[in-house]
Amino acid sequence: MMEHKIPFNKPHLTGKEAHYLYQAVYSGHISGNGLYTQKCQKYFEDRWGFKKTLLTTSCTDALEMCALLLNIKPEDELIIPSYTFVSSALAFVRQGANIIFADSNDKNPNLDAHAIEEKITPKTKAIVVVHYAGIACDMDEIMRIARKHKLFVVEDAAQGIDSYYKGKPLGTIGDLSTFSFHETKNLQCGEGGLLGINNEQFIERAEILWEKGTNRAQFFKGQVDKYNWVDIGSSFLPSDVIAAFLYAQLEHIDDIQDKRKAIWNKYHEGLKPLEAKGNITLPFLPDFATNNAHMFYLITKNPAERTALISYLKDHNIMSVFHYLSLHASPFYKEKYKGAELDNANYYTNCLVRLPLFYELGLTDVDRIIDLLINFYKD
Ligand SMILES: *Cc1c(COP(=O)(O)O)cnc(C)c1O
């Protein structure tokens, strides 16, 4: 008999979503920047210490706000890891900027801090870091380089909610940061995101860009007597209905993180014998980083083995997936890319596999997956 199917992901509901949605709808303020938007933003600011946060319709949108806030122009260059999601680069490409793709380090897919400085030119404007799997990049080193060369730092912390670098919450270290609440993330509202602002010089303008280039925020604070068109911008703010859904998730974040970490730890413990035998490589966590269990991945020795492993699991009704395809080698960018091959990014592109990890995944299901992996590598 075939055992039940285990999907790769299943969005989790905490139970209060529908109730808060109902409240948002019947409160009479259904558009953006209502009660739940403010509750969410306050929660983020109070708990993690951002100077200011703004909910957005996605992390992609929050990154677009970063590109506008940094005034990215066609002559500018940005250093961005190649092994990341399209959105990390997209917002800056839309401004016509030149993306200088940098390699991952050889221990985990995060940007190799030592590969950054040689890529800096007089045109470099910012470094975009991605905390892959919610595991921190080497932020002291990255901030040191950025300050030395007067560059801005954007943290794409899409996967990094409630994870830390030397005790500092991810997303509170760079000048600006972005988070995602897409249904595949630890906290989710279907589609949603957040802009985190740590450098105060950006706060006032961010509020303007967020609301279609108007000074509506100043108007509501009573700072101007009429609101007007004052800058560029877009409609980056989500409906309060989305914020209400997100708030129900935010209230349960500790439970969500605990559950995910228990699953992650079980995988890690159970797969150690395979790492000891040299069959696979398990995720590497530097001493400075915590784990928010956004993702459990392992690395196979070669692409053929990864393909065989994914199909073996699929034959046993378990859905595992590979992840990013290096952006420098993508159909959109490869003609424009002039740099050297990025060996580590290519290695993760070819050999990294993600295993199912979601709130409802039972620990007995994790055991079943571990047993199958052990069986796959049986000599
Ligand atoms: C999920 C993700 C994004 C995109 O998030 P959206 O909310 O879907 O726009 C961007 N960057 C990284 C690293 C991600 O994991």
Side-chain angles (χ1 to χ4, degrees):
M1 190 194 75
M2 190 67 139
E3 289 202 67
H4 69 275
K5 180 171 172 172
I6 301 180
F8 170 68
N9 181 53
K10 183 168 176 260
H12 168 61
L13 295 176
T14 66
K16 281 276 195 71
E17 285 84 354
H19 178 61
Y20 290 165
L21 277 169
Y22 184 94
Q23 289 202 338
V25 169
Y26 286 95
S27 74
H29 186 126
I30 306 171
S31 60
N33 203 6
L35 180 69
Y36 280 103
T37 299
Q38 281 155 23
K39 273 164 108 65
C40 287
Q41 290 175 180
K42 184 167 166 23
Y43 192 105
F44 286 110
E45 289 159 18
D46 290 351
R47 177 152 177 184
W48 290 291
F50 299 92
K51 295 249 169 67
K52 174 74 192 155
T53 58
L54 293 169
L55 282 193
T56 57
T57 53
S58 63
C59 179
T60 305
D61 252 12
L63 284 156
E64 294 212 355
M65 288 188 72
C66 294
L68 299 180
L69 286 168
L70 298 180
N71 263 322
I72 298 301
K73 299 263 168 11
E75 59 273 19
D76 294 333
E77 293 179 357
L78 292 104
I79 297 172
I80 301 182
S82 179
Y83 191 76
T84 181
F85 190 58
V86 184
S87 298
S88 311
L90 201 56
F92 307 102
V93 167
R94 280 187 52 166
Q95 297 299 108
N98 193 7
I99 309 301
I100 308 299
F101 285 112
D103 209 359
S104 301
N105 66 67
D106 59 3
K107 294 275 196 304
N108 69 25
N110 284 340
L111 193 55
D112 180 0
H114 304 288
I116 296 174
E117 211 155 11
E118 65 189 34
K119 300 202 181 293
I120 295 173
T121 74
K123 294 179 176 169
T124 311
K125 189 86 183 263
I127 303 169
V128 179
V129 301
V130 179
H131 303 295
Y132 187 79
I135 296 169
C137 295
D138 187 355
M139 291 311 290
D140 280 349
E141 180 61 8
I142 290 164
M143 294 309 289
R144 186 191 65 77
I145 294 168
R147 294 302 173 238
K148 178 172 155 198
H149 296 274
K150 300 198 165 37
L151 308 177
F152 291 111
V153 172
V154 176
E155 295 178 73
D156 178 345
Q159 306 171 10
I161 191 75
D162 193 39
S163 198
Y164 300 80
Y165 170 81
K166 296 187 182 172
K168 292 182 200 155
L170 300 188
T172 65
I173 305 164
D175 298 279
L176 297 167
S177 64
T178 63
F179 291 84
S180 173
F181 309 118
H182 183 263
E183 71 169 32
T184 51
K185 303 300 201 286
N186 291 26
L187 283 193
Q188 62 98 13
C189 57
E191 301 277 358
L194 183 82
L195 174 70
I197 306 166
N198 306 310
N199 182 336
E200 284 170 358
Q201 78 176 82
F202 295 115
I203 295 177
E204 192 176 312
R205 186 157 184 245
E207 289 183 321
I208 291 169
L209 300 184
W210 192 55
E211 292 206 85
K212 305 106 183 157
T214 69
N215 56 356
R216 210 159 172 265
Q218 287 167 307
F219 172 70
F220 283 113
K221 287 179 205 155
Q223 292 164 353
V224 291
D225 56 11
K226 185 154 83 186
Y227 81 84
N228 222 322
W229 182 16
V230 295
D231 203 335
I232 54 169
S234 189
S235 190
F236 288 114
L237 71 178
S239 152
D240 216 50
V241 175
I242 299 286
F245 189 112
L246 183 64
Y247 193 68
Q249 297 258 316
L250 210 41
E251 281 187 326
H252 284 260
I253 183 165
D254 295 320
D255 174 45
I256 293 171
Q257 304 292 77
D258 288 349
K259 193 80 186 267
R260 297 184 71 102
K261 283 180 204 168
I263 294 167
W264 197 99
N265 289 334
K266 190 155 187 71
Y267 270 131
H268 194 247
E269 229 11 74
L271 295 173
K272 271 183 186 163
L274 289 184
E275 186 172 54
K277 280 205 299 163
N279 294 131
I280 58 170
T281 306
L282 292 174
F284 170 74
L285 265 110
D287 290 340
F288 56 64
T290 62
N291 178 24
N292 68 352
H294 171 60
M295 179 194 312
F296 193 90
Y297 68 82
L298 57 86
I299 302 162
T300 61
K301 277 203 224 139
N302 57 59
E305 201 168 279
R306 179 176 75 174
T307 307
L309 180 62
I310 291 174
S311 82
Y312 175 80
L313 290 175
K314 184 151 185 265
D315 289 345
H316 291 84
N317 245 348
I318 289 161
M319 304 304 130
S320 63
V321 293
F322 53 83
H323 208 190
Y324 303 131
L325 308 172
S326 295
L327 297 181
H328 75 280
S330 63
F332 182 71
Y333 218 87
K334 66 171 186 262
E335 302 302 325
K336 301 187 245 303
Y337 184 72
K338 300 284 183 294
E341 259 324 313
L342 302 174
D343 294 335
N344 294 332
N346 291 340
Y347 165 62
Y348 299 118
T349 295
N350 292 325
C351 299
L352 186 146
V353 193
R354 298 192 294 158
L355 300 178
L357 202 177
F358 50 88
Y359 186 94
E360 275 84 9
L361 183 66
L363 293 179
T364 52
D365 289 333
V366 179
D367 275 328
R368 183 177 136 206
I369 298 168
I370 294 168
D371 288 346
L372 281 168
L373 285 164
I374 289 180
N375 206 45
F376 177 81
Y377 282 107
K378 203 169 60 204
D379 331 286

